[in-house]
Structure formats: C-alpha cells, structure tokens
Amino acid sequence: MEEIIKGTNRKIQGNIKVPGDKSISHRSVLLGSIAEGITEVEGFLMGEDCLSTVDCVRKLGIDVTVRPSGQLTIHGKGLLGWKEPLEVLDAGNSGTTLRLILGLLAGQPFHSIIKGDASLSSRPMGRVVKPLSLMGAVSDGRENGNKAPLGIRGGNLHPISYSSPVASAQIKSALLLAGLYAEGTTTVEEPEKSRDHTERMLSSFGAKILSQDKKSSVQGFPELRGQKIIVPGDISSAAFFMVAAAITPGSELILEHVGINPTRKGIIDVLQKMGGKINLENQRIEAGEPVADVVVQYSPLHGVTVAGEEIPRLIDEIPILAVAAGFAEGETIIKDAGELKVKETDRIDAITSQLALLGMDIKPQEDGMIIQGGRPLKGAPVNSFFDHRIAMALAVAGTRAKGETVIQQGECVNISFPDFYQLLRKLTL
Ligand code: S3P
C-alpha cells in the first residue's frame, strides 16, 4: 500500500505516548509462558511482531488472553510446560520471535518446526543454531541449518561459555534462555554490550543471573514465578518523533513514559552530542526498567561520528539518525554498523538509496554511511522494502521535504507501530 506524506513546516508540539517496547513485550510473553502461574502484562505492543510471539506460545499449549488495550494474561505452565506443537510455528517478520523461541525450544524434549516470512527466511539463523547445537540441541534447516524454516529437537542440554562474534541481544538471549534448561552456569560474552532486557526480566521472574559489563551468566533450572509487567513506551518508536521535533524549528514535544534503559538510549545520547536539546524528566524504575518523560526541543544540529560501543545502543535507530544527520550542519559518519545488512532488509542499502532519492547527500559504506547535512529535501516516490523502520524514517524525512513523498509498502509500520501515520499527521498537518 502507498502512504502519502505531505511536506510541512508546522512546529511539533504537545504530549504524546508511543506504543509499548517491542523487545520487552516479546520477552514478557516468553518468560510468562515458562513461569509458574499467572503473568499480567500492561502496555503490551499490539504490533504484528509481538502478536507472532503470542501465536507461537499458544501453539505450544499456553493459554494467553489478549485484550485490545494491550493487557495480557499469560497462564504459565513452568519450564517444561510447553507441548509438542501440532502445527508449524510462524514467527512472521520477527527475528526476535524466531531466535528467542529457538533458545527455549532447545530445552524442550520434543520436535518443532518454525518458519517466517520471506524477509525472515533470508536472515542468518546459524548465529543462534550453532551455539545451541554446542549445548546439545539438534536442529536443521535450509542452507545447512542457517535459514528458516528450521526444525529443532531439544532436551538434555549442557551449559556452555560462549564468546559471540557479534553484539546481538537475540543471540545472547537465545543462549541464556537455553541455559535455563542446562544444569550449571551458561555464560555469554559479547564484543560490545547489547540490550539487557532478558537479564533484567529473568531476574525479576526469579532466575539467578549475573550480568557484568559484556558478560552475562544464568544458572540452570530456576523456579520462575509469574509477574506483573508494565511495558514502557518503546524508545525505538519514540525516536521517530524525537527526531521530527529535533529537526523542525520551533518544536517542543513531550514523549511520556519512554523506556530509557542505558543499553537502548544511544539515540538520545547521540542527538545530544549533535546539539539536540533533550531532557529526561520524571525518571523512575518500573518493573526493573528505567523510564522517563522525554522532552525534545528544536535546536540546530551538527554532524558527528557514531561508532563502536554506541552502535548496539542505537542499532534500530540508525535509519532515523540518518534523517537527523541530513538536517545537521556538516558531516556525519556512522561506522561499525555492518549488522544493519541483516535486519528486516539491508538497512544500509535501503536508507541510503531512498534518502538519496529525496535529495539527501548520503553515501553507503561497507559498515555504515556518510552524510553531508544541510541539503534541502524534495518529495519523491520511495520504497520501504517492507521494513517498518525504513518506512517510518522516510515518513519523517517526508514531512520536512518540499511537496509529497509517496512511500511504497508503507503498511509495514504495523509490525511495530500500527498508529504511526495517524500520530505523525496529527502532529504535522
Ligand atoms: C532485539 C535485538 C536487536 C534489534 C531487534 C530487537 C531484541 O537485534 O535489532 O530489533 O529484542 O533482542 P540483534 O540482536 O540482532 O542485534
């Protein structure tokens, strides 16, 4: 479906709330399903990716009540309460669903098959399947077990100490979740620290977790108890509106109840480094996660270099960061971000090619991109390549371009932010 975005200069003002955090929503269902007793979730993200996770655990025999308001009740059956599924599990477009469920399936003494859509079927799964096989899980799939659909037979795991070649919370989480089913200590080390929602949530469910710098360990066979989980607003969704306000003169926007976990708030740190005026108010901890109201005011931005440990803390925000860089004075260099190539689409290719169509001076690099900011944008037909974060980044750029920007396959925002266009139009038109 095409989505038409009109260029405007209207100041972005007011108070908004963005939908629940995608990473935390997935984990609430998965951990709730393997805990003893009831888990109540508030603020669950009703996007397609998280609903894929619900669908999978239901096929594994878990009763989940989903209310349209984003309140969930999960009737957990304990670590070994899942049943061998009759049907193929379907992760849809969601890498988190597929990789984290693989970790849990590795611990189950039965056979299951999991598939995904065309995008997910082209993404690498060997990065999870190989270490799980070192723990004793038996699995196979297309391209020598690297691509979905994947079949897995779990059970009888032993703990490992694994040094991951990439900073990826999905790899780390899959192994820690499998570690719940291995007698002893399972440890994962990463080159840079990735998001730590799994560690935080496992600890609140009662698991013994040790997390220090780039290393996390879990003890096998804990007693997990159902919890009440309040999901904060997703900083990755908030980022689109933070940048919209940061690049539109006269704007002042308050984003209420946003998760500001240090392993996720790289976008705020980098926008501040670029000269952005962002304040965190009313900071508090809810269900083990730091939360704040984020106040963004327009101010002129300048180019920066973003690299190294900053990258995993804003990996999903790089498409919208590229938009901010296009409106900043001078050069922005984004490097060490080769992981972007294996997201829902090749995001280096997608964002650089489509922002260039709008007139931005942006060049792809092997592990990132270089942007010369300050060139005016002009609306044009562009493509999301069915990647929700590309669609939303292009839409924000489109509001600041002259004329109309037409986004092909714009409907993919339903993956993580179903009301995105309504909210963008309310603020900009
Ligand atoms: C996620 C981890 C990140 C991120 C994805 C969600 C998670 O992926 O890009 O959107 O919830 O664990 P990687 O672990 O592949 O970096």
Side-chain angles (χ1 to χ4, degrees):
M1 239 165 59
E2 281 181 2
E3 203 62 50
I4 299 172
I5 305 292
K6 290 197 167 70
T8 148
N9 284 322
R10 206 186 107 180
K11 301 175 198 166
I12 297 187
Q13 285 171 316
N15 289 46
I16 62 166
K17 273 193 173 162
V18 296
D21 187 279
K22 183 156 79 67
S23 294
I24 297 176
S25 294
H26 283 298
R27 287 157 172 82
S28 70
V29 178
L30 294 175
L31 293 193
S33 76
I34 56 159
E36 297 286 348
I38 287 182
T39 289
E40 299 277 3
V41 186
E42 220 177 86
F44 184 79
L45 169 59
M46 297 291 282
E48 287 171 2
D49 267 15
C50 296
L51 293 173
S52 293
T53 297
V54 170
D55 182 57
C56 288
V57 303
R58 280 181 173 151
K59 285 183 179 150
L60 289 156
I62 300 298
D63 184 10
V64 184
T65 310
V66 179
R67 294 172 201 87
S69 57
Q71 281 177 308
L72 259 61
T73 306
I74 304 149
H75 297 263
K77 291 192 177 163
L79 277 181
L80 291 165
W82 284 6
K83 282 199 321 249
E84 188 168 68
L86 281 171
E87 294 170 71
V88 171
L89 307 176
D90 189 353
N93 190 249
S94 173
T96 310
T97 306
L98 201 150
R99 295 196 178 109
L100 268 57
I101 283 196
L102 275 180
L104 290 170
L105 290 173
Q108 311 297 323
F110 55 68
H111 175 257
S112 39
I113 301 175
I114 185 156
K115 67 170 187 175
D117 70 3
S119 151
L120 190 54
S121 305
S122 71
R123 297 177 64 185
M125 296 301 147
R127 49 177 56 198
V128 171
V129 167
K130 278 195 195 123
L132 288 177
S133 74
L134 296 176
M135 296 179 79
V138 179
S139 65
D140 206 353
R142 287 171 44 242
E143 297 187 16
N144 284 323
N146 188 34
K147 303 262 169 85
L150 292 153
I152 182 161
R153 179 174 293 281
N156 286 325
L157 298 186
H158 45 263
I160 56 168
S161 213
Y162 187 69
S163 186
S164 174
V166 272
S168 156
Q170 294 180 356
I171 300 176
K172 174 177 67 175
S173 302
L175 299 184
L176 293 176
L177 293 175
L180 299 174
Y181 297 85
E183 206 70 68
T185 310
T186 296
T187 301
V188 187
E189 192 166 5
E190 314 183 85
E192 303 291 353
K193 189 172 173 73
S194 66
R195 65 191 66 190
D196 64 358
H197 305 299
T198 301
E199 292 93 314
R200 285 171 188 258
M201 202 182 286
L202 270 174
S203 164
S204 68
F205 272 82
K208 287 203 182 73
I209 277 270
L210 196 67
S211 192
Q212 266 178 340
D213 197 18
K214 299 169 191 168
K215 214 183 211 183
S216 295
S217 305
V218 70
Q219 299 292 320
F221 294 103
E223 222 179 89
L224 303 179
R225 291 171 306 276
Q227 296 293 309
K228 163 99 191 175
I229 296 171
I230 302 168
V231 182
D234 197 328
I235 190 168
S236 298
S237 298
F240 298 102
F241 290 98
M242 287 185 211
V243 169
I247 63 174
T248 308
S251 298
E252 175 160 355
L253 184 69
I254 302 175
L255 299 111
E256 295 171 8
H257 194 238
V258 178
I260 52 154
N261 180 316
T263 61
R264 293 284 300 282
K265 73 181 254 300
I267 184 67
I268 294 179
D269 301 340
V270 168
L271 285 173
Q272 286 172 333
K273 190 163 92 170
M274 294 171 84
K277 271 197 194 165
I278 305 185
N279 284 313
L280 301 180
E281 293 184 354
N282 198 11
Q283 294 192 40
R284 64 257 189 212
I285 303 278
E286 274 180 14
E289 289 281 350
V291 177
D293 300 331
V294 180
V295 183
V296 186
Q297 283 172 295
Y298 168 79
S299 71
L301 302 179
H302 55 80
V304 291
T305 295
V306 187
E309 62 82 34
E310 290 174 312
I311 296 296
R313 300 198 303 116
L314 49 56
I315 186 75
D316 290 342
E317 289 67 75
I318 291 177
I320 190 63
L321 178 61
V323 174
F327 286 85
E329 216 31 65
E331 182 174 78
T332 292
I333 301 172
I334 300 172
K335 57 184 188 190
D336 304 328
E339 273 295 293
L340 290 175
K341 292 182 167 200
V342 289
K343 294 295 178 189
E344 284 81 332
T345 184
D346 176 340
R347 286 186 176 159
I348 294 182
D349 201 46
I351 200 65
T352 57
S353 64
Q354 302 309 290
L355 287 175
L357 289 175
L358 297 180
M360 195 181 285
D361 183 347
I362 179 166
K363 301 267 174 337
Q365 304 291 304
E366 207 27 56
D367 65 346
M369 58 201 79
I370 298 179
I371 300 137
Q372 308 294 339
R375 281 224 321 223
L377 303 189
K378 191 163 174 297
V382 288
N383 202 318
S384 75
F385 303 103
F386 208 80
D387 181 325
H388 53 135
R389 300 203 197 281
I390 299 296
M392 292 187 274
L394 293 172
V396 171
T399 64
R400 303 286 293 117
K402 195 160 178 274
E404 274 184 4
T405 295
V406 182
I407 305 175
Q408 313 288 338
Q409 308 192 80
E411 72 278 15
C412 58
V413 302
N414 290 332
I415 299 284
S416 65
F417 201 157
D419 294 330
F420 172 79
Y421 296 115
Q422 286 92 310
L423 188 53
L424 186 69
R425 290 196 175 105
K426 200 171 124 197
L427 290 169
T428 57
L429 291 183

